[in-house]
Amino acid sequence: DVQLVESGGGSVQAGGSLRLSCAASGSTYSSFCMGWFRQAPGKDPEGVATNDSVGRTTYGDSAKGRFTVSQDNANTTLYLQMNSLKPEDTATYYCAADLFHFRGGYCHRPTSEFPYRGQGTQVTVS
């Protein structure tokens, strides 16, 4: 099993920035896809960004050009740098992981469907 713990959420004014972190611990796997999704009250989950074992990244339309996903060299912490924040970015942000016991695993399903997720961190933009 893997445990994911997010941090870095908070309240910020429109135009500001936040950096979310997701610390992963537990079992090791041969490859992975990790990412962020968000969910606002009354709305469906929305994929924000993903990063896989070989550094391929994807972004949801709302994140393109403003958010950057990255991971530390040990692949134990996932980050989401969010710039130019807008009120519509207000949501609970979740870190999630899809893990594989073979090499070459890649991101192939919505981030909200990954089997592992953290408890979420609230981001409020006013």
Side-chain angles (χ1 to χ4, degrees):
D1 273 359
V2 168
Q3 293 77 46
L4 304 173
V5 179
E6 302 100 333
S7 60
S11 297
V12 64
Q13 290 190 335
S17 298
L18 282 175
R19 189 192 196 202
L20 305 184
S21 299
C22 171
S25 62
S27 303
T28 58
Y29 292 79
S30 297
S31 58
F32 62 83
C33 174
M34 293 188 69
W36 298 90
F37 70 95
R38 67 188 186 186
Q39 189 164 21
K43 294 189 176 182
D44 291 334
E46 177 187 5
V48 176
T50 64
N51 181 68
D52 71 8
S53 307
V54 295
R56 289 174 295 215
T57 59
T58 66
Y59 294 93
D61 288 342
S62 61
K64 289 177 181 176
R66 300 188 299 129
F67 295 0
T68 303
V69 64
S70 62
Q71 202 145 3
D72 68 342
N73 289 337
N75 290 328
T76 58
T77 305
L78 183 73
Y79 302 99
L80 183 68
Q81 177 67 43
M82 304 187 293
N83 299 328
S84 303
L85 283 162
K86 306 173 183 179
E88 50 264 44
D89 293 318
T90 296
T92 301
Y93 284 70
Y94 296 90
C95 172
D98 206 357
L99 307 169
F100 310 98
H101 289 289
F102 52 88
R103 296 180 66 180
Y106 60 95
C107 304
H108 65 281
R109 52 181 164 178
T111 314
S112 59
E113 296 179 9
F114 289 4
Y116 300 100
R117 64 170 63 175
Q119 80 288 354
T121 186
Q122 178 67 36
V123 171
T124 303
V125 185
S126 59

